[in-house]
Amino acid sequence: MANSASNQITIKEQQEIAEIINSNIKSAEFDFKFDEVKPSDIRFHNKYDVKNVLVFEEGKNPITQIFDKLSKNRVGDYGRFHHFKSAHIALDIIKNQSIQVSSLFSNDSNDFAEYTEFYKRIGLFHPLVPEDFQKKAFNNNINPKDTRPSDVERNHIFVLCFTQDNHNEKFWKNYANEDHGVAIGFRFSNFNNEGLRLFDFRDVFYDRGYSFDFYNAIEYQLRKYNKMFFSDGVDRFSKFYKRARYNWENETRLCFHYDAPNMVGLNGFLDRTFPIQTDSKSGRKFIDLPLTGNSVENPFFELEIVEVVCGKFVGQGMVDQLKDALKQSFPSADFWQRR
């Protein structure tokens, strides 16, 4: 067994741990190949002394590989990504040349529910338990509504959801108020790669079964080495995970990581660039994301409206207002109404 006092990994233990990781990932039967972990890839970093967390050589973390395969990176994709809004909110977005990005905690209920579901699937229950659970359990006054670590984290994750499948009738029914709403088509361009540690633009992965059971098995088998297999890749993946019943959405998600650790040269950069605001009526937390033409600079990428599609039942008066606003703010954008 590993020496918990020194927290060191022997060569023999490295070999055994690598085999545990590789054999369990293979059992997941993903439809892609991954680079097997070599014993020499496994490290133990001093900053994780308390948690006994395994770390890997740069670029060798298997979870990061799986994350990149299952959640396609859309940075550099110049296609059209659609976002559904009510007609009045769409009009404000066009006029103001900015769009609000909400925290995951205050976003649509299935989004933060799925975030919690991911942690359940991989067996990490501690983010779901109230922070002062032990103290309140002793006094027998546990409140199910008490703040959990996952609640705190979700308040620092800001997401904007898109789809490239704007013709799906379910969207017009569920997200456009029975065809009374609008689909705004956006195009991303001019990405600044220096900001990629602070945001992601990726497809959501839809789990059709229990794709991450392998993770539970690895964690269980590493207990005898006094080690844990938690990694940044797992934390990032939780923001792009949903169960299969939502796969009709074909969602691509823009996610700003206000929960990202401080990094040299980037400390507080996201907070200064896009300050977090709170809606006085609902308490919803959001950031204002500037679009092309806005006087506020977006240092990460350009985001331009290239299309506006009105639902079948948007009235003529609102249609005219949307057209006029679009001509002023995004004159080259397409405009049409469903029939």
Side-chain angles (χ1 to χ4, degrees):
M1 179 177 290
N3 186 331
S4 58
S6 63
N7 283 324
Q8 298 300 309
I9 299 175
T10 66
I11 294 176
K12 182 175 182 294
E13 288 169 341
Q14 281 180 308
Q15 293 171 338
E16 292 171 351
I17 290 172
E19 177 55 31
I20 287 172
I21 294 170
N22 291 330
S23 62
N24 281 290
I25 293 178
K26 286 178 183 177
S27 72
E29 298 183 347
F30 290 122
D31 59 357
F32 57 81
K33 293 182 180 179
F34 76 101
D35 297 330
E36 290 194 2
V37 173
K38 299 176 182 176
S40 58
D41 296 335
I42 300 171
R43 292 287 182 270
F44 188 80
H45 199 287
N46 287 334
K47 75 175 182 178
Y48 292 125
D49 274 354
V50 176
K51 295 182 179 179
N52 296 338
V53 177
L54 292 176
V55 294
F56 298 85
E57 282 288 309
E58 186 71 27
K60 300 295 184 179
N61 188 327
I63 295 298
T64 301
Q65 287 188 53
I66 292 171
F67 174 66
D68 286 336
K69 292 287 188 181
L70 297 182
S71 179
K72 183 178 179 179
N73 189 354
R74 290 291 185 174
V75 170
D77 187 326
Y78 294 94
R80 293 188 178 188
F81 296 87
H82 290 84
H83 182 77
F84 287 79
K85 287 293 186 188
S86 70
H88 286 91
I89 293 178
L91 183 60
D92 288 340
I93 290 170
I94 296 167
K95 285 182 175 180
N96 298 331
Q97 296 175 314
S98 70
I99 186 169
Q100 291 185 1
V101 183
S102 299
S103 72
L104 188 64
F105 193 73
S106 58
N107 210 36
D108 184 81
S109 59
N110 74 53
D111 289 338
F112 69 73
E114 293 300 294
Y115 180 81
T116 301
E117 178 66 21
F118 177 77
Y119 280 121
K120 291 178 181 176
R121 291 288 177 99
I122 65 173
L124 291 178
F125 288 100
H126 68 273
L128 313 178
V129 178
E131 293 179 305
D132 55 356
F133 175 81
Q134 287 182 315
K135 181 173 67 177
K136 291 199 171 185
F138 182 78
N139 295 317
N140 197 30
N141 63 342
I142 297 171
N143 182 351
K145 295 183 179 180
D146 282 345
T147 301
R148 294 152 168 73
S150 60
D151 299 336
V152 175
E153 188 175 67
R154 285 182 297 196
N155 259 319
H156 293 87
I157 301 170
F158 287 76
V159 297
L160 189 59
C161 304
F162 301 91
T163 183
Q164 290 184 297
D165 187 16
N166 68 309
H167 295 290
N168 191 316
E169 292 299 321
K170 283 188 177 182
F171 279 116
W172 292 99
K173 176 179 173 61
N174 298 342
Y175 292 102
N177 189 23
E178 301 278 3
D179 249 302
H180 288 82
V182 172
I184 306 175
F186 292 89
R187 177 173 291 137
F188 291 77
S189 62
N190 297 326
F191 284 95
N192 178 357
N193 290 334
E194 291 182 4
L196 291 181
R197 297 288 296 277
L198 299 177
F199 78 93
D200 268 306
F201 183 45
R202 292 178 175 272
D203 289 347
V204 166
F205 169 69
Y206 298 97
D207 192 348
R208 290 172 171 79
Y210 291 88
S211 298
F212 286 86
D213 274 4
F214 75 89
Y215 191 93
N216 296 328
I218 292 173
E219 286 282 56
Y220 179 77
Q221 292 172 43
L222 290 184
R223 290 176 64 185
K224 72 174 184 178
Y225 302 96
N226 195 31
K227 297 291 181 282
M228 293 175 62
F229 189 48
F230 189 79
S231 71
D232 291 342
V234 169
D235 182 47
R236 289 177 68 200
F237 196 93
S238 62
K239 304 162 191 176
F240 297 89
Y241 174 93
K242 284 188 176 183
R243 284 167 287 183
R245 64 181 178 181
Y246 298 111
N247 63 2
W248 63 269
E249 296 176 347
N250 290 314
E251 182 180 337
T252 299
R253 178 173 288 182
L254 173 66
C255 180
F256 289 97
H257 308 310
Y258 281 78
D259 61 331
N262 287 334
M263 292 168 280
V264 176
L266 292 175
N267 293 26
F269 180 73
L270 201 50
D271 300 88
R272 294 193 305 271
T273 306
F274 303 133
I276 297 174
Q277 303 177 56
T278 303
D279 185 277
S280 58
K281 293 182 179 180
S282 66
R284 178 178 62 91
K285 293 183 181 298
F286 67 93
I287 61 174
D288 265 324
L289 184 64
L291 306 179
T292 301
N294 195 307
S295 59
V296 177
E297 180 187 3
N298 181 343
F300 302 117
F301 49 78
E302 288 188 27
L303 183 57
E304 179 184 9
I305 293 178
V306 293
E307 180 181 40
V308 170
V309 184
C310 288
K312 297 175 183 177
F313 306 121
V314 176
Q316 189 59 49
M318 177 56 72
V319 168
D320 292 340
Q321 290 185 64
L322 288 165
K323 278 184 180 179
D324 291 342
L326 202 61
K327 286 179 182 178
Q328 292 295 319
S329 298
F330 303 95
S332 61
D334 298 327
F335 184 94
W336 56 284
Q337 185 171 19
R338 280 163 50 88
R339 299 298 179 192

